[in-house]
Amino acid sequence: MNGFDPAGALALGAVAAAVLDEAGTVVRWSRAAADLLGHPAQHVCGRPVGELLADASDEPHHCALAADGFPAAGRTRLRHRSGRAVEVDFRIVRLEGSSELLALAAPAAGTTDREQGLSLLRALFAQARMGVTLRDTDLALVRTNITLETLGGPPGAAGVEMRDVANARNAEAAEAALRRVLETGTPLIGEAQDVRSPLLPGRHRTLSLSAFRLEDAQGEPAGVVTLVTDITEQQRTRDHLDLLRDASTRIGGSLDVARTAQDLVDVLVPALGDLAWVELADPVIEGDEPANVLGGAWLSWRRVAVASADGTWPSRLLQKGAAAPRQPDIPTLLAVQRGDVIVVDSETISAMFGDPHLIELLVPENARWLAVAPLFARGTVLGVVGISRNEQGEPFDEDEADLLKKIASRAALSVDNARRYTREHRAAVALQRRLLPRATTETPAAETIGVYRPAGGGAEISGDWFDVLSLPSLRAAFVVGDVVGHGLHATATMGRLRTAVQTLADLELDCDELLTHLDDLVQRLAGEAAPENRDTVGATCLYALYDPVARRCALASAGHPVPVVSPCDGTARPVDLSPGPPLGVGGMPFETATLDLAPGSVLALYTDGLIKGDDGDTDAGLRRLTDRLAAHCRPDRPLAEIGRALLAGLDDHPPRDDIALLLVRTRAVPAESVANWEFPADPASVSDARDATTRQLAAWGLDDIAFSTELVVSELVTNAVRYAGGPIGLRLIHEDVLVCEVSDPSNTQPRLRRAHTTDEGGRGLFLVAQLSTRWGSRYSQRGKTIWAEQAVGPCADQLMFSSVIPM
């Protein structure tokens, strides 16, 4: 018979049996034979067995012949009572002490399955690298080939169960999983099991557990078969790759040195050890280059990050933020400084230190194994990262040391990038702080407060700025601007534009004319830039000029958001102003709007970062700003409080763009502090102007500067009569200074010169300059105005005489 196993066949439940005489006649017929072929015993007994063949002419095939001529075993086809053929495997044996023969037959398919099953079972139990366990319906162990040697333990040990080598929790979970397989019939495929047992000292294994249910011929549960394979190396490889992927994702997301170091230790614990720490050179923390020296005597390091598997850092160890103690020049330290990863046990490193104080600070008390890797970037050691395992942990192997080196190398580049950013950011912040004006100012024109908030909570520095400029005749200019881009380039451009605005403001230009000149400057800056950077040179700017005598404000915008004004009566509104194009566009005019402001009004000038929300809707942001200003602006409320209210929430959610905010509370010069006259272009007008000035100064109680003021007025009116014609206007303004203004219809530029000894004239403006703290001129559509300021108070006479005596 082809592969027929009678022992296997007999083990089957459906084996047909018949007894034959020596002539081949059926003598006896079993119940199983009747079930197999559908013929009862009375139909078969007494008839030749050959009649049961499906084809009488056929002979049994694949037969082995017995000595008496009957086939001993083989495969043939028998005829069922219904007429169909049934293929069977058979065996014929002679009964001892009798001439009769016993014929046994079983369905060929069943015997083939049984045969293959037995072969598979023998092959499985013969495997050395695969553990097989056979359990009954009570999950009691029937047979297994798993030994401690299979799991990497000592050879010669007897078979073991999972509960012998797995921890209690894993063993209970595995047993519960097998019971589910037995109850539901749903197989368990590739479930990972950790094996760590005293029976396997120093070995941590990971097993893959698969299980399926055995069923009997009726489909009832008969037991469970489990297959166990050792996937320790594959799991370690996957874990290492996952750890590298996790490190590349989590480390380097911050430009803060300490945060980057903390991310590093958080990745390492508990994936690679129980405790981890990072120490960096002090210059690295400050953003500077570390000293490139070897040895521990000159090191100045600080522990900047720690992590513990249980969340608690031991109190006896060096704490986060503490300076590391000086260390001896031990070989391990020198090796780390040269770029090597060092793996040692705690006893060895303690013996190297020798000093109990150092051991207590630097070696964890319950640590058994330590690994230290350098943070080595661009040829320089920035610091070190250390990691330890306790007594229950396995030693760091070569693969883990290599993994630690890779992670430390990537982290070192991130630390160095953060260090470089810290240095650039510090320089940018220092530059910007030097370029921005004082936060608060007090002038006769207004009280102001300025606030600057960098983007990202200080992570980014940009070119937003504000400025308050004191101009002649008690006027003031308020400026807010926003340069394109971030970083040092934007900050430097901001400094150039701020200087340009200050210079142009001193020329006392109208708002639109000043922005036109500023636009020309930005176009020149763009022309000087590299071709690929020209599109990034630009800015927006708002320029406001306030006159406290007229109580009027003129404004012009170059692409900048319009300011918001509140009279402090519970209302606020955006200023009706049409912004022109941003600076640098060129070819488009700027428009000037005028606004009458009552004393105590608050004007809010800002950059678009204040009104640009996460959705980018600046219109909605402007409405929010207007509502907040109306709600918080009160006459008795300090500007600083109003500013905090307008910026509320930015500490919790740092802005995405820089914010510059300038709040202006306007003031007015009282009408009784201003005096105006108009004179014809007649030489007699000089005397009249002096008399009017003397009377007004007496009324103001400024007799101490009457003499110098008469000289100034006399010289300015004389020049107007002689060179400009009439009418000639004279205005005196008394505040913290005395301002004297003389207006005429001429546009001729006054020029200060030094007269020679023989010259009969040319000393008028020189005399005015000596008697005044400052002087100048401005132009209007109706001519020009020459102005001069004088100090008032106790030092006024002293200043006058010190100025006149050198003449």
Side-chain angles (χ1 to χ4, degrees):
M1 186 178 76
N2 183 24
F4 180 77
D5 184 354
L10 287 172
L12 297 174
V15 178
V19 177
L20 309 178
D21 62 15
E22 58 184 3
T25 301
V26 178
V27 179
R28 294 177 183 84
W29 189 252
S30 70
R31 178 66 182 174
D35 292 339
L36 178 64
L37 298 179
H39 296 287
Q42 59 269 28
H43 289 175
V44 178
C45 291
R47 302 177 63 180
V49 71
E51 294 181 1
L52 296 177
L53 297 175
D55 188 347
S57 62
D58 287 349
E59 293 293 337
H61 54 286
H62 307 301
C63 295
L65 296 178
D68 52 10
F70 282 99
R75 177 172 293 178
T76 188
R77 294 189 304 156
L78 301 180
R79 185 175 66 251
H80 192 271
R81 184 177 182 181
S82 63
R84 62 181 176 87
V86 178
E87 188 171 20
V88 297
D89 286 322
F90 69 91
R91 184 180 180 93
I92 299 177
V93 296
R94 184 174 295 278
L95 297 177
E96 186 176 355
S98 173
S99 61
E100 294 179 333
L101 303 172
L102 175 64
L104 301 175
T111 56
T112 300
D113 291 346
R114 177 66 177 176
E115 178 184 334
Q116 293 174 346
L118 292 174
S119 299
L120 175 61
L121 192 60
R122 284 194 296 270
L124 287 176
F125 278 102
Q127 295 298 312
R129 301 185 61 183
M130 177 182 293
V132 182
T133 299
L134 179 62
R135 300 176 184 273
D136 61 17
T137 53
D138 294 327
L139 296 184
L141 183 65
V142 177
R143 183 179 178 185
T144 182
N145 70 340
I146 301 178
T147 65
L148 288 180
E149 186 176 4
T150 307
L151 304 177
V160 296
E161 292 197 62
M162 184 66 70
R163 68 171 66 95
D164 298 328
V165 293
N167 60 53
R169 181 180 299 178
N170 282 354
E172 293 175 1
E175 184 173 347
L178 294 182
R179 191 164 299 281
R180 286 194 299 271
V181 172
L182 186 64
E183 294 172 353
T184 65
T186 303
L188 179 70
I189 305 298
E191 182 173 288
Q193 294 285 333
D194 287 333
V195 175
R196 192 191 298 266
S197 169
L199 298 176
L200 302 170
R203 305 287 295 178
H204 175 208
R205 315 300 293 176
T206 302
L207 304 181
S208 175
L209 176 64
S210 298
F212 58 90
R213 184 172 72 181
L214 295 178
E215 298 178 351
D216 59 17
Q218 287 73 38
E220 294 297 324
V224 177
V225 171
T226 62
L227 303 177
V228 178
T229 56
D230 189 341
I231 59 170
T232 302
E233 295 305 320
Q234 298 93 316
Q235 187 64 41
R236 280 168 58 88
T237 301
R238 284 195 294 268
D239 290 344
H240 288 182
L241 290 176
D242 290 342
L243 188 57
L244 275 175
R245 188 182 307 110
D246 189 29
S248 62
T249 301
R250 295 173 59 183
I251 302 174
S254 171
L255 288 174
D256 179 80
V257 172
R259 178 69 258 175
T260 303
Q262 188 63 48
D263 290 339
L264 170 58
V265 295
D266 288 343
V267 166
L268 295 177
V269 175
L272 210 57
D274 302 298
L275 296 175
W277 58 92
V278 170
E279 293 171 9
L280 295 177
D282 284 337
V284 174
I285 301 173
E286 300 298 325
D288 298 325
E289 292 279 353
N292 195 7
V293 296
L294 293 179
W298 301 102
L299 290 181
S300 177
W301 285 2
R302 188 172 300 274
R303 184 160 290 182
V304 296
V306 296
S308 171
D310 61 7
T312 303
W313 186 253
S315 58
R316 65 184 288 271
L317 287 179
L318 188 67
Q319 299 297 305
K320 182 178 180 180
R326 302 294 184 181
Q327 303 176 27
D329 295 339
I330 58 177
T332 55
L333 176 61
L334 296 175
V336 169
Q337 290 177 328
R338 286 192 293 266
D340 298 332
V341 177
I342 300 301
V343 176
V344 293
D345 59 80
S346 59
E347 295 179 358
T348 301
I349 195 69
S350 296
M352 289 182 179
F353 281 137
D355 185 349
H357 178 65
L358 282 179
I359 297 173
E360 183 176 347
L361 282 178
L362 302 179
V363 181
E365 184 176 12
N366 62 342
R368 182 68 180 89
W369 312 100
L370 293 95
V372 181
L375 295 176
F376 201 76
R378 300 180 177 93
T380 304
V381 177
L382 308 176
V384 295
V385 55
I387 186 168
S388 69
R389 287 178 179 170
N390 57 29
E391 295 286 349
Q392 289 72 37
E394 300 177 11
F396 292 97
D397 58 26
E398 186 176 348
D399 289 341
E400 290 173 325
D402 184 61
L403 176 64
L404 178 60
K405 185 174 184 178
K406 291 179 180 178
I407 295 176
S409 178
R410 297 184 182 185
L413 290 176
S414 298
V415 169
D416 194 53
N417 289 336
R419 176 192 67 80
R420 290 167 172 246
Y421 170 78
T422 299
R423 180 177 59 187
E424 180 178 342
H425 182 264
R426 183 179 59 190
V429 169
L431 176 61
Q432 189 163 49
R433 286 177 177 174
R434 294 294 298 271
L435 292 175
L436 288 175
R438 291 178 300 169
T440 60
T441 65
E442 294 276 353
T443 67
E447 170 196 2
T448 69
I449 184 169
V451 180
Y452 173 76
R453 291 287 182 88
E460 299 182 18
I461 298 298
S462 183
D464 291 20
W465 89 93
F466 61 86
D467 215 342
V468 178
L469 307 176
S470 294
L471 299 180
S473 303
L474 306 182
R475 297 178 304 157
F478 313 117
V479 189
V480 174
D482 185 356
V483 174
V484 173
H486 294 81
L488 284 175
H489 173 75
T491 302
T493 302
M494 178 268 284
R496 299 176 73 174
L497 293 183
R498 180 172 178 245
T499 301
V501 171
Q502 292 175 344
T503 302
L504 293 172
D506 283 342
L507 298 177
E508 301 190 68
L509 303 174
D510 290 338
C511 298
D512 55 345
E513 187 177 358
L514 183 143
L515 291 182
T516 300
H517 286 289
L518 199 60
D519 180 62
D520 294 339
L521 172 62
V522 174
Q523 292 183 63
R524 288 197 298 273
L525 294 179
E528 296 172 359
E532 64 272 14
N533 296 329
R534 288 176 182 171
D535 291 340
T536 64
V537 178
T540 64
C541 182
L542 177 76
Y543 185 80
L545 182 60
Y546 176 64
D547 185 347
V549 177
R551 304 179 184 181
R552 179 168 297 174
C553 183
L555 309 95
S557 169
H560 203 82
V562 298
V564 179
V565 62
S566 173
C568 289
D569 60 355
T571 64
R573 61 181 177 84
V575 175
D576 186 11
L577 173 65
S578 297
L583 298 174
V585 174
M588 298 291 290
F590 299 100
E591 297 182 10
T592 298
T594 57
L595 181 67
D596 291 327
L597 295 176
S601 298
V602 173
L603 192 65
L605 296 85
Y606 54 90
T607 55
D608 60 359
L610 183 60
I611 61 173
K612 187 187 298 181
D614 294 338
D615 55 0
D617 188 351
T618 56
D619 291 336
L622 179 58
R623 289 193 295 270
R624 288 193 299 268
L625 173 62
T626 303
D627 293 341
R628 284 189 177 185
L629 188 62
H632 297 282
C633 191
R634 296 292 182 270
D636 57 345
R637 192 168 192 182
L639 285 181
E641 290 186 11
I642 298 175
R644 286 192 292 269
L646 297 182
L647 299 175
L650 294 182
D651 292 334
D652 299 330
H653 304 283
R656 294 185 178 182
D657 194 9
D658 294 63
I659 293 176
L661 172 65
L662 179 63
L663 293 179
V664 179
R665 176 169 278 156
T666 61
R667 294 170 174 168
V669 176
E672 59 271 16
S673 296
V674 181
N676 290 278
W677 300 273
E678 187 174 286
F679 304 101
D682 189 313
S685 298
V686 177
S687 176
D688 296 339
R690 282 200 306 266
D691 294 340
T693 300
T694 301
R695 290 192 299 271
Q696 187 60 56
L697 292 181
W700 286 339
L702 299 178
D703 295 325
D704 52 340
I705 61 172
F707 175 71
S708 60
T709 306
E710 288 181 21
L711 288 177
V712 171
V713 170
S714 177
E715 292 297 334
L716 294 182
V717 173
T718 298
N719 284 344
V721 171
R722 181 177 300 175
Y723 302 111
I728 299 171
L730 172 62
R731 183 169 72 164
L732 298 179
I733 307 172
H734 175 215
E735 262 293 338
D736 57 345
V737 295
L738 178 67
V739 180
C740 175
E741 297 180 343
V742 174
S743 302
D744 60 56
S746 172
N747 288 322
T748 303
Q749 172 69 40
R751 184 165 58 90
L752 178 65
R753 66 185 181 89
R754 181 176 295 274
H756 296 289
T757 306
T758 58
D759 289 344
E760 295 183 1
R763 297 177 176 83
L765 289 180
F766 181 79
L767 182 62
V768 171
Q770 294 297 311
L771 295 174
S772 306
T773 54
R774 63 173 181 164
W775 72 280
S777 63
R778 60 177 177 270
Y779 296 89
S780 65
Q781 296 179 354
R782 294 178 296 179
K784 69 175 182 297
T785 298
I786 302 177
W787 55 269
E789 290 184 3
Q790 296 179 83
V792 296
C795 61
D797 286 336
Q798 181 180 357
L799 177 63
M800 179 190 72
F801 284 110
S802 64
S803 301
V804 174
I805 287 174
M807 295 178 61

